[in-house]
Amino acid sequence: MAAENMLATVNRRDLDFQLFEVLKVENLTTRPRFSDHDRSTFAAALDTAQQVAAEHFQTHNRKADLNEPHFDGSQVHLIPEVRKALDEFIKAGFMAAHRDYDEGGQQLPNAVTQACFACFQAANVGTSGYPFLTVAAANLIGAFGSKEQKRRFMQPMLEGRFFGTMCLSEPQAGSGLADIRTRATPLSNADEAGAAYRIQGSKMWISGGEHELTENIVHLVLARIDGAPAGVKGISLFIVPKRRVNGDGSLGERNDVQLMGLNHKMGFRGTTNTLLSFGEKGDCIGYLVGEPHRGLDYMFMMMNEARIGVGLGATMLGVAGYLYSLDYARQRPQGRRPDNKDPNSKPVLIIEHADIKRLLLAQKSYTEGALALCLYAALLVDEQHTGESEEARQRAGLLLDMLTPMVKSWPSEFCLEANKHAIQVLGGYGYTRDYPVEQYYRDNRLNPIHEGTHGIQGMDLLGRKMLMKNGAGAKLLFETIAADIEAARAVPDCAAWAEQLKAALSRVMQTTQAMLPAAKDGRIALYLANATLYLDMMGHVAIAWMWLRQARVAAQALPQAAGADEAFYRGKLAAARYFYAYELGRLDHWLPILGRLEPATLEMQPDWF
């Protein structure tokens, strides 16, 4: 099987199952915002996404990996296929698909939009990075920017004329945003785009920070206004365009934003990753977004959207590897069954071997479980904005807050594990560049660092989310899972798994309660010492929950199914069985460590290493 003959990188049957059978997104069309839509318009959007992704993104995925962007001292060069693919993406309307009609959008639900985006991420995660960062940046300006900022900067982004970035990290601070040094000095000259400031500093790891793909790049930059308080409470947010934008929308002179160098990562090689200098010549102008000193609050909106996007991207890289290794296993003859001692018999296809089935089942359980979680979170965004009551909207927002660290981090860890299994299914071929699975692994290996490391997400979940509002978020999460457990108990094929998850959830709640006194009496370092394990544990609970939801739908549909549908539903039940038999038991390892507040890592001294 030649590497060029790549398979579809998404399973459309699974996307339809998740959206229409499990999440029932058609129910959203009863709400005014989505009333012009029905299942056929949602399906048409997915059809278009699949087609554009296959014809314009997937076709240069390997070429972009082998031909990284390069800087000639004057401008950054990319292979021409990147620009062509992005033009098709924009022409198909995906840049503004979720936005209002009067902004050029289609008012598609977020859940459907994210399912469309999944097609592009699976096909070519590097090229996909440019528009997805832009969408997030435009959303932030739309939420917190002034009317003039929306007109001058957001609207050209939605039209695909400008792209956007988020500029947080600095070389000396990394993820420690409290220590950023970029300064903002107020200027006396007024501008309708907002209070103008002179920006000076540098930003590191900026994806999409320099290129010639669009007319302009809109950088969203965190900086400190002169005299601002120390720490995160003194951070403000600024719009800093690569080229200045005049009041009539025309482009002015180049702003003082300089490319200092390109970073060369192990994956995502098609996306420029940059070190940027702002104000090297003392002439970098930026515009304050919203109120002073609230920049991190505003940026978290973009970061949370980006975190869901990272989780979905990690999932789809796992899906792409799974589908490729599955097809390979169906075609590759090698070895014989253990009970066959006849050396003259024909080798069997490797998909007949139990250990290959294990590798494939693990991939299926990780990737399809993660996709369910990501799309569930995407639907919560719709509920948060269009729910039928204020209470429903608030509950959706609170549940989304709780799940976001898991949505970002669990796929980044375990769909990477799926990519590892995909390589192993191909044997020696999997470790070569002649086949795409090694690239999927390298691309996915970046996701544990994107938008907050695995450890940072663990501390966010345990240190902030579990404690916020006196534990109201945790209570809501546990109640929501418990409700689905009760629903599944009535389905014979799912009853045993429902009982297993009920028992696991009870242990999780007891362990969490045992940990909380350490936080309440000030032993924060001890409380957070195993936060990463807590995140892994809660992620496994969330995926088990997602599998129970899927299994209930599949079990109820199975009696009426035949042919390919019957095989699909039986595959769902088999993957659920695998996750409950092989994966949920990991809690037996994690929970005792968490419950006793194991201090081994905390007590280890630097000079003991």
Side-chain angles (χ1 to χ4, degrees):
M1 181 174 60
E4 303 85 56
N5 298 329
M6 292 178 65
L7 305 174
T9 50
V10 297
N11 181 343
R12 177 57 182 276
R13 180 66 181 88
D14 192 38
L15 277 178
D16 287 346
F17 172 76
Q18 303 283 2
L19 289 174
F20 301 119
E21 298 182 60
V22 179
L23 296 177
K24 300 185 184 303
V25 294
E26 287 173 273
N27 292 343
L28 293 173
T29 61
T30 62
R31 299 176 184 177
R33 179 172 180 78
F34 308 121
S35 60
D36 290 342
H37 291 290
D38 55 27
R39 179 164 178 165
S40 67
T41 61
F42 295 160
L46 287 166
D47 290 343
T48 302
Q50 275 192 280
Q51 181 178 355
V52 174
E55 295 179 359
H56 300 284
F57 281 68
Q58 188 177 2
T59 47
H60 71 275
N61 188 44
R62 176 46 56 101
K63 183 176 180 180
D65 183 67
L66 297 175
N67 297 272
E68 291 184 71
H70 66 276
F71 181 48
D72 64 5
S74 174
Q75 69 179 51
V76 173
H77 297 271
L78 293 89
I79 60 172
E81 289 88 344
V82 174
R83 174 65 181 268
K84 294 176 184 176
L86 296 174
D87 286 345
E88 293 295 328
F89 181 94
I90 294 164
K91 186 169 70 174
F94 286 111
M95 191 70 80
H98 63 300
R99 302 294 300 194
D100 293 347
Y101 292 136
D102 60 9
E103 295 172 340
Q106 302 172 41
Q107 293 187 189
L108 280 174
N110 184 63
V112 176
T113 304
Q114 291 298 329
C116 291
F117 286 175
C119 299
F120 296 101
Q121 291 171 303
N124 188 323
V125 76
T127 296
S128 299
Y130 298 102
F132 295 166
L133 282 167
T134 302
V135 167
N139 288 346
L140 188 149
I141 296 173
F144 303 111
S146 67
K147 183 177 180 181
E148 178 64 15
Q149 288 171 346
K150 295 175 188 178
R151 184 188 71 84
R152 201 180 296 193
F153 301 107
M154 182 192 77
Q155 199 58 44
M157 294 165 77
L158 296 177
E159 295 167 1
R161 292 171 41 228
F162 297 0
F163 278 1
T165 75
M166 52 195 296
C167 300
L168 289 76
S169 298
E170 297 180 3
Q172 83 289 343
S175 299
L177 298 181
D179 298 317
I180 66 171
R181 298 174 185 165
T182 299
R183 293 173 49 213
T185 302
L187 296 174
S188 57
N189 53 311
D191 191 305
E192 291 181 358
Y197 289 75
R198 195 177 306 281
I199 309 296
Q200 195 163 32
S202 59
K203 294 291 182 178
M204 187 68 163
W205 310 119
I206 310 306
S207 294
E210 179 58 41
H211 53 72
E212 301 297 325
L213 295 168
T214 51
E215 300 171 24
N216 205 356
I217 303 174
V218 177
H219 302 291
L220 293 179
V221 180
L222 292 181
R224 295 185 186 283
I225 298 173
D226 290 345
V232 296
K233 294 182 179 179
I235 297 175
S236 300
L237 179 65
F238 299 87
I239 293 172
V240 184
K242 173 182 173 180
R243 293 185 64 183
R244 296 174 187 170
V245 183
N246 299 318
D248 61 1
S250 64
L251 294 179
E253 63 186 354
R254 172 135 188 177
N255 209 357
D256 186 10
V257 181
Q258 305 296 326
L259 174 66
M260 303 304 291
L262 293 176
N263 301 307
H264 298 281
K265 293 187 173 183
M266 66 186 294
F268 280 66
R269 292 180 175 178
T271 308
T272 60
N273 190 274
T274 62
L275 170 61
L276 298 178
S277 175
F278 296 88
E280 190 173 85
K281 300 175 183 177
D283 193 26
C284 179
I285 305 300
Y287 302 99
L288 179 68
V289 177
E291 301 175 15
H293 316 320
R294 294 196 59 196
L296 201 54
D297 292 338
Y298 301 151
M299 187 62 86
F300 266 122
M301 173 191 165
M302 182 176 178
M303 288 172 67
N304 284 335
E305 287 191 21
R307 284 168 177 170
I308 295 173
V310 168
L312 185 60
T315 297
M316 297 316 297
L317 286 167
V319 168
Y322 165 56
L323 294 178
Y324 197 94
S325 65
L326 174 61
D327 185 73
Y328 184 92
R330 284 173 168 161
Q331 298 185 45
R332 169 71 169 173
Q334 183 176 309
R336 294 162 182 83
R337 292 189 177 90
D339 55 359
N340 181 1
K341 306 301 182 183
D342 182 3
N344 295 314
S345 61
K346 290 183 178 180
V348 298
L349 297 175
I350 62 172
I351 200 169
E352 297 291 341
H353 298 307
D355 197 57
I356 297 297
K357 291 180 184 179
R358 177 186 65 84
L359 294 171
L360 292 171
L361 268 169
Q363 291 181 72
K364 183 178 177 70
S365 74
Y366 294 160
T367 59
E368 293 179 11
L371 180 60
L373 181 62
C374 291
L375 293 180
Y376 181 85
L379 184 65
L380 287 176
V381 175
D382 290 314
E383 292 289 340
Q384 186 179 21
H385 295 302
T386 68
E388 295 177 352
S389 68
E390 178 62 25
E391 181 185 2
R393 292 190 290 271
Q394 289 182 357
R395 285 173 63 87
L398 186 58
L399 189 55
L400 182 62
D401 276 346
M402 293 298 302
L403 288 174
T404 295
M406 295 172 245
V407 172
K408 185 273 171 187
S409 283
W410 198 93
S412 298
E413 289 291 315
F414 288 94
C415 291
L416 176 66
E417 187 79 359
N419 289 131
K420 184 188 79 172
H421 291 334
I423 291 173
Q424 196 68 18
V425 169
L426 268 67
Y429 294 117
Y431 294 82
T432 71
R433 291 194 177 185
D434 297 322
Y435 291 81
V437 288
E438 65 84 28
Q439 182 186 339
Y440 295 146
Y441 183 89
R442 285 188 291 104
D443 285 340
N444 219 353
R445 190 62 188 85
L446 270 65
N447 283 317
I449 195 76
H450 283 159
E451 308 309 332
T453 66
H454 198 52
I456 286 174
Q457 300 300 326
M459 288 189 288
D460 179 46
L461 175 62
L462 186 59
R464 192 165 73 90
K465 302 296 177 61
M466 297 302 295
L467 301 176
M468 67 181 181
K469 299 184 178 180
N470 293 319
K475 183 174 183 288
L476 175 60
L477 175 60
F478 294 145
E479 288 176 349
T480 305
I481 297 173
D484 279 327
I485 290 172
E486 286 304 306
R489 290 177 68 191
V491 179
D493 287 340
C494 303
W497 299 328
E499 293 297 336
Q500 188 178 346
L501 183 55
K502 182 179 180 180
L505 187 63
S506 176
R507 294 176 64 199
V508 167
M509 294 167 65
Q510 291 171 8
T511 298
T512 303
Q513 286 298 318
M515 297 173 68
L516 289 176
K520 293 177 180 177
D521 64 19
R523 293 175 292 158
I524 298 298
L526 180 61
Y527 175 68
L528 293 178
N530 296 302
T532 302
L533 268 66
Y534 191 88
L535 174 63
D536 288 339
M537 179 272 297
M538 283 300 301
H540 260 60
V541 170
I543 298 300
W545 170 35
M546 291 296 112
W547 270 114
L548 192 61
R549 286 167 54 86
Q550 294 182 76
R552 181 163 71 94
V553 173
Q556 291 174 326
L558 190 57
Q560 293 79 40
D565 276 346
E566 180 183 359
F568 175 82
Y569 292 130
R570 290 196 182 281
K572 283 292 180 185
L573 293 174
R577 176 184 179 183
Y578 176 89
F579 196 86
Y580 275 82
Y582 287 77
E583 292 292 332
L584 194 55
R586 295 194 191 206
L587 270 65
D588 293 337
H589 168 69
W590 288 321
L591 287 171
I593 296 173
L594 293 165
R596 67 174 180 262
L597 295 171
E598 172 57 50
T601 56
L602 190 64
E603 294 178 356
M604 181 67 180
Q605 299 300 308
D607 60 353
W608 295 353
F609 284 102

